[in-house]
């Protein structure tokens, strides 16, 4: 397959070939964890479903800024060398690098150089072949776009509602003070445009909903299968834009610029002004216009 050629097995969320996970290296940690877990974050999936902890035996290719290979090889995490007395005291010891407690360091590589790949959020392609990986159910956003609607319709109602809530949060996150944040801010959109994008609301309806973000946050946009399908397509679009256009200004410019593949209209015109097929069309155009290794064509 040549550089920039689309794979025949494109997936709804990330657009990656089956068997590969394409995303951004991340030093994952949260309250209660004993240290950083080296991971890859897939922007085409919501919540914890986006997280892929690296395991011994996995094959990892890290990209440089131009889309070339910065580092490629098998993950071999050494958890025994460089142990330091733990801050909790006693006889506890753990590895540390760049001021963080960590779980394992890549064999044969400078610890700080390895760690910076993750703290810099480098693009990477992962093949999960390590024997320690537990079986995981494919996320319903995974798989060919053509089958997305059928996969979502087949979900039990409780699971479908759970997916909607997890998938809405990155787009509509409200703090206690009422301030809003979301993925579309990286596209240059405000709250009203975001509501219209997610649910194909009329401008008046979007303005009305935007005025009450602190009502019932779970139902700011009521659950529906069309909303769920739209979220699946938009996660795919966001993943394509993040992969190929690394900064928010570039993504916002692409979303609003005239596009020859869309009869000179901007990509945002279609999901804002049309039903589901408009979102599908823009996703297809994004994958056709943007090189798979990060170069816009």
């Amino acid at each position: 397959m040549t550089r920039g050629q689309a794979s025949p097995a494109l997936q709804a969320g990330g657009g990656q070939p089956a068997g590969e996970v394409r995303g951004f290296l991340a030093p994952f940690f949260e309250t209660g964890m004993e240290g950083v877990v080296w991971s890859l974050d897939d922007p085409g999936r919501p919540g914890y479903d986006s997280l892929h902890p690296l395991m011994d035996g996995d094959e990892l290719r890290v990209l440089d800024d131009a889309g070339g290979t910065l580092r490629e090889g098998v993950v071999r995490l050494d958890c025994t060398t460089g142990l330091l007395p733990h801050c909790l005291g006693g006889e506890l010891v753990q590895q540390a690098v760049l001021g963080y407690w960590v779980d394992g360091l890549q064999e044969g590589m400078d610890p700080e150089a390895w760690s910076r790949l993750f703290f810099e959020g480098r693009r990477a392609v992962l093949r999960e072949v390590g024997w320690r990986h537990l079986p995981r159910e494919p996320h319903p956003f995974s798989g060919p776009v053509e089958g997305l609607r059928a996969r979502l319709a087949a979900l039990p109602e409780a699971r479908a509602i759970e997916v909607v809530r997890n998938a809405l949060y990155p787009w509509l996150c409200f703090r206690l003070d009422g301030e809003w944040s979301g993925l579309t801010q990286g596209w240059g959109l405000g709250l009203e445009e975001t509501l219209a994008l997610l649910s194909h609301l009329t401008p008046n309806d979007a303005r009305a909903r935007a005025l009450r973000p602190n009502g019932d946050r779970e139902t700011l946009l009521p659950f529906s299968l069309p909303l769920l399908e739209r979220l699946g397509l938009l996660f795919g679009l966001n993943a394509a834009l993040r992969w190929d256009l690394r900064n928010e200004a570039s993504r916002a410019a692409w979303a609003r610029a005239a596009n020859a593949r869309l009869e000179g209209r901007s990509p945002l015109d279609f999901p804002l002004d049309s039903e589901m097929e408009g979102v599908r069309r823009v996703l297809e155009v994004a994958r056709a216009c943007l090189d798979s290794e990060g170069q816009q064509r």
Side-chain angles (χ1 to χ4, degrees), residues 23 139 236 267 295:
H139 192 276
Q295 300 295 323

Side-chain angles (χ1 to χ4, degrees), residues 71-125:
R71 182 192 180 278
E72 186 170 15
V74 176
V75 176
R76 302 290 184 199
L77 294 176
D78 174 8
C79 299
T80 60
T81 60
L83 295 171
L84 299 173
H86 201 284
C87 61
L88 296 178
E91 298 181 356
L92 293 174
V93 292
Q94 190 169 354
Q95 294 162 307
V97 63
L98 298 180
Y100 292 86
W101 298 110
V102 302
D103 291 317
L105 294 166
Q106 176 67 14
E107 290 181 356
M109 187 171 179
D110 176 74
E112 291 193 2
W114 167 259
S115 303
R116 286 196 180 96
L117 297 175
F118 294 82
F119 283 99
E120 291 171 0
R122 289 280 182 176
R123 290 180 299 170
V125 179

Side-chain angles (χ1 to χ4, degrees), residues 134-261:
L134 298 175
R136 57 193 293 177
E137 179 184 354
H139 192 276
F141 290 172
S142 302
V145 173
E146 291 75 15
L148 176 63
R149 183 173 300 171
R151 291 194 303 276
L152 298 175
L155 291 175
E157 183 179 2
R159 173 61 173 152
I161 292 173
E162 176 190 27
V163 173
V164 164
R165 288 175 175 172
N166 290 337
L168 266 180
Y169 181 78
W171 305 87
L172 293 173
C173 177
F174 295 99
R175 299 200 302 264
L176 292 177
D177 60 5
E179 290 298 315
W180 161 79
S181 64
L183 293 175
T184 51
Q185 289 178 327
W187 303 2
L189 271 63
L191 178 57
E192 292 179 16
E193 285 182 303
T194 298
L195 288 167
L197 179 76
L198 291 170
S199 58
H200 194 229
L201 293 172
T202 65
N204 286 339
D205 285 343
R207 279 192 289 272
R209 288 190 181 276
L211 291 174
R212 54 179 184 84
N214 279 325
D216 183 354
R217 296 177 196 152
E218 295 284 344
T219 58
L220 181 62
L221 292 177
F223 168 78
S224 68
L225 283 176
L227 171 61
L228 183 52
E229 182 181 0
R230 206 169 178 96
L231 285 166
L233 295 171
L234 289 171
F235 262 94
L237 178 57
N238 184 64
L241 295 182
R242 277 199 59 199
W243 179 264
D244 293 301
L245 303 172
R246 293 301 309 277
N247 62 73
E248 292 186 351
S250 296
R251 295 197 287 274
W254 186 89
R256 294 189 180 276
N259 191 300
R261 295 174 186 259

Side-chain angles (χ1 to χ4, degrees), residues 4-6 10 12-15 22 187 233-245 251 254-255 259-262 265-268 270-271 278-297:
Q5 181 180 358
L10 285 181
R22 194 173 72 171
W187 303 2
L233 295 171
L234 289 171
F235 262 94
L237 178 57
N238 184 64
L241 295 182
R242 277 199 59 199
W243 179 264
D244 293 301
L245 303 172
R251 295 197 287 274
W254 186 89
N259 191 300
R261 295 174 186 259
L262 297 171
R265 297 173 64 188
S266 76
L268 273 180
F270 286 80
V279 189
R280 289 175 181 271
R281 187 174 180 188
V282 172
L283 175 56
E284 293 170 358
V285 167
R287 290 176 175 167
C289 288
L290 301 170
D291 187 297
S292 63
E293 299 294 353
Q295 300 295 323
Q296 187 165 354
R297 294 191 287 156

